[in-house]
């Protein structure tokens, strides 16, 4: 581990970039702990019927009330929403949801499609102007104005510039919005309410800060973001695979480190507060995507290495939400349709599509939002 002085130097650098962007240091959001009582909500009892009136003119008893929500049993079996064709390069990586529309980015075919979450119908949305085999789309994100962005990795920056690409309203061909000389493998994008964003770059051990105009700042690396191929938790793919994804809860952000198998926490003013969970190779090794479930005040993870979707309580407990019908799950997002509230998951099947892996979009039931 780095020395305390080294870490403080990194944190000060990170903080200076953010403070210069925002002008003030925002306070950290206190996240309430969950006791896990919302994980398997029980169905409520139906209401009692009203009393019948006395005598010949007595009224009929009132109708019984509706039963409560049926219990959700975890681990649940994911329901298929859409299936993709690996022969066409349709291996899904990124995912963002707006209402009942999901935006899914393919990792091989350089494009984004829309999926109607009510019907499962898939339609084209836009293309990334990069050659197949060189440009590899990664995470998808929406900003507050519902603009669609996608992180794109490049195997040859001389042929195609890696970075964050932005689609025009309604879709079409994306254009380069933000890049940096060392951003060859941008993995995930998370937007803060201010309009600024964080981009996780696992092979560079960095979280880049992007201003609303696309200007990119590099606050420097940190060991908590770095990968380690010598670790017992090493994810693989022949590169150090460190920070993979982040998300904001108010002014606090949480992130995953795939190689080091931990979840870490920081604040928007640049303070890196340390690990929330892990290291735990068997549970968190290969974690790819993270978000918060506001209904249960817990974290949810796509653990790609173990084909598992996991809930992590702030009290330290864990729960497996699904571990079947998952094929290298890479991204997660919460959406609500007429069928209720679900966690949506992209099954990338990136290395298993020719060994029984099924690329597609699936969903796991969640309890009602409070």
């Amino acid at each position: 581990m780095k020395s305390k002085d080294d870490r403080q130097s990194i944190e000060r650098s990170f903080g200076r970039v953010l403070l210069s962007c925002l002008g003030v240091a925002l306070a950290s959001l206190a996240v309430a702990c969950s006791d896990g009582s919302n994980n398997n909500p029980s169905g409520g009892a139906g209401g009692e019927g009203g009393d019948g009136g006395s005598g010949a003119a007595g009224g009929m008893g009132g109708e019984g009330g509706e039963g409560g929500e049926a219990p959700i049993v975890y681990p649940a079996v994911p329901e298929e929403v859409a299936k993709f064709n690996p022969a066409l390069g349709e291996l899904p990586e990124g995912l963002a949801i707006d209402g009942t529309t999901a935006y899914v980015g393919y990792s091989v075919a350089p494009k984004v499609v829309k999926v109607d979450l009510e019907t499962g119908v898939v339609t084209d949305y836009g293309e990334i102007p990069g050659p197949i085999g060189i440009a590899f789309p990664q995470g998808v994100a929406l900003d507050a104005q519902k603009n669609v962005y996608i992180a794109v990795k490049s195997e040859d920056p001389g042929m195609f510039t890696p970075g964050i690409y932005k689609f025009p309203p309604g879709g079409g061909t994306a254009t380069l919005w933000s890049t940096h000389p060392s951003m060859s493998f941008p993995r995930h994008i998370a937007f803060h309410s201010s309009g600024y964003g964080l981009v996780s770059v696992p092979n560079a051990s960095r979280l880049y800060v992007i201003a609303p105009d696309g200007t990119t700042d590099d606050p420097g690396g940190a060991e908590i973001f770095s990968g380690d191929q010598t670790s017992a938790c090493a994810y693989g793919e022949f590169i150090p695979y460190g920070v993979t994804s982040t998300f904001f809860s108010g002014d606090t952000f949480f992130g995953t480190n795939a190689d080091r198998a931990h979840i870490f926490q920081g604040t928007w003013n640049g303070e890196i507060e340390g690990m929330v969970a892990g290291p735990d190779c068997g549970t968190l090794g290969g974690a790819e995507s993270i978000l918060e479930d506001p209904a249960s005040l817990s974290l949810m993870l796509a653990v790609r290495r173990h084909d598992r979707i996991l809930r992590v309580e702030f009290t330290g407990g864990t729960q497996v939400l699904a571990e079947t019908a998952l094929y290298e799950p890479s991204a997660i997002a919460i959406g609500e349709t007429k069928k209720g509230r679900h966690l949506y998951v992209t099954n990338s099947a990136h290395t298993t599509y020719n060994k029984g892996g099924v690329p597609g979009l699936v969903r796991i039931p969640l309890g009602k939002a409070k």
Side-chain angles (χ1 to χ4, degrees):
M1 296 292 289
K2 292 184 180 291
S3 70
K4 180 178 180 182
D5 289 343
D6 288 340
R7 180 182 169 191
Q8 286 176 344
S9 176
I10 290 166
E11 291 172 355
R12 282 195 297 270
S13 174
F14 188 72
R16 278 197 298 271
V17 172
L18 294 176
L19 291 174
S20 66
C21 295
L22 297 178
V24 294
L26 301 177
S28 171
L29 175 70
V31 180
C33 291
S34 167
D35 63 3
S37 59
N38 290 324
N39 289 346
N40 286 313
S42 299
E48 295 182 354
D51 291 334
S54 60
M60 295 178 62
E63 294 183 0
E66 293 184 359
E69 184 182 6
I72 301 173
V73 178
Y74 295 124
V77 178
E79 174 190 2
E80 184 177 274
V81 178
K83 185 183 293 185
F84 303 125
N85 187 349
L88 300 178
E90 297 176 354
L91 303 178
E93 282 288 338
L95 172 66
I97 292 177
D98 177 26
T100 58
T101 299
Y103 296 89
V104 177
Y106 296 145
S107 66
V108 177
K111 64 188 295 186
V112 169
V113 296
K114 294 195 301 183
V115 181
D116 185 323
L117 300 180
E118 297 284 8
T119 64
V121 171
V122 179
T123 55
D124 286 343
Y125 179 74
E127 297 181 349
I128 292 92
I132 293 177
I134 299 295
F136 289 92
Q138 303 291 309
V140 176
L142 295 168
D143 65 13
Q145 290 72 44
K146 307 300 178 67
N147 295 303
V148 180
Y149 300 80
I150 187 165
V152 188
K153 174 185 177 183
S154 177
E155 292 296 324
D156 186 346
M159 291 183 62
F160 173 78
T161 303
I164 308 303
Y165 283 73
K166 182 178 180 180
F167 288 95
T173 301
T175 56
L176 183 63
W177 178 67
S178 178
T179 190
H180 189 276
S182 60
M183 193 191 289
S184 64
F185 185 7
R187 182 71 184 96
H188 185 269
I189 321 157
F191 283 104
H192 183 262
S193 59
S194 65
Y196 285 78
L198 291 180
V199 175
S200 53
V201 183
N203 64 332
S205 306
R206 278 165 166 74
L207 286 174
Y208 290 90
V209 181
I210 301 183
D213 65 358
T215 303
T216 305
D217 283 308
D218 176 9
E223 187 168 317
I224 201 166
F225 303 152
S226 69
D228 180 7
Q229 282 292 284
T230 66
S231 165
C233 305
Y235 181 62
E237 298 194 356
F238 309 108
I239 59 171
Y241 211 74
V243 55
T244 48
S245 69
T246 61
F247 86 95
F248 280 103
S249 177
D251 296 326
T252 297
F253 69 87
F254 297 87
T256 53
N257 187 312
D259 272 1
R260 298 185 184 275
H262 65 230
I263 302 170
F264 61 88
Q265 176 178 339
T267 62
W268 186 233
N269 67 357
E271 296 294 327
I272 307 301
E273 297 183 337
M275 289 187 290
V276 176
D280 185 339
C281 297
T283 301
L284 303 176
E288 278 277 3
S289 186
I290 185 171
L291 57 76
E292 182 183 37
D293 181 4
S296 62
L297 291 177
S298 61
L299 304 174
M300 293 188 293
L301 303 171
V303 187
R304 185 170 183 153
R305 181 180 184 182
H306 298 295
D307 289 333
R308 185 179 297 147
I309 304 299
L310 191 71
R311 187 192 300 277
V312 178
E313 304 289 344
F314 288 101
T315 54
T318 62
Q319 181 185 33
V320 176
L321 299 185
E323 56 185 354
T324 57
L326 294 171
Y327 308 97
E328 299 174 86
S330 61
I332 54 178
I334 295 174
E336 187 163 1
T337 66
K338 294 175 183 177
K339 289 190 174 182
R341 205 171 68 100
H342 289 80
L343 181 68
Y344 289 82
V345 183
T346 50
N347 271 334
S348 73
H350 187 72
T351 63
T352 59
Y353 67 90
N354 58 353
K355 304 173 186 176
V358 181
L361 180 67
V362 299
R363 62 188 171 198
I364 300 163
L366 298 174
K368 289 183 179 179
K370 297 296 186 278

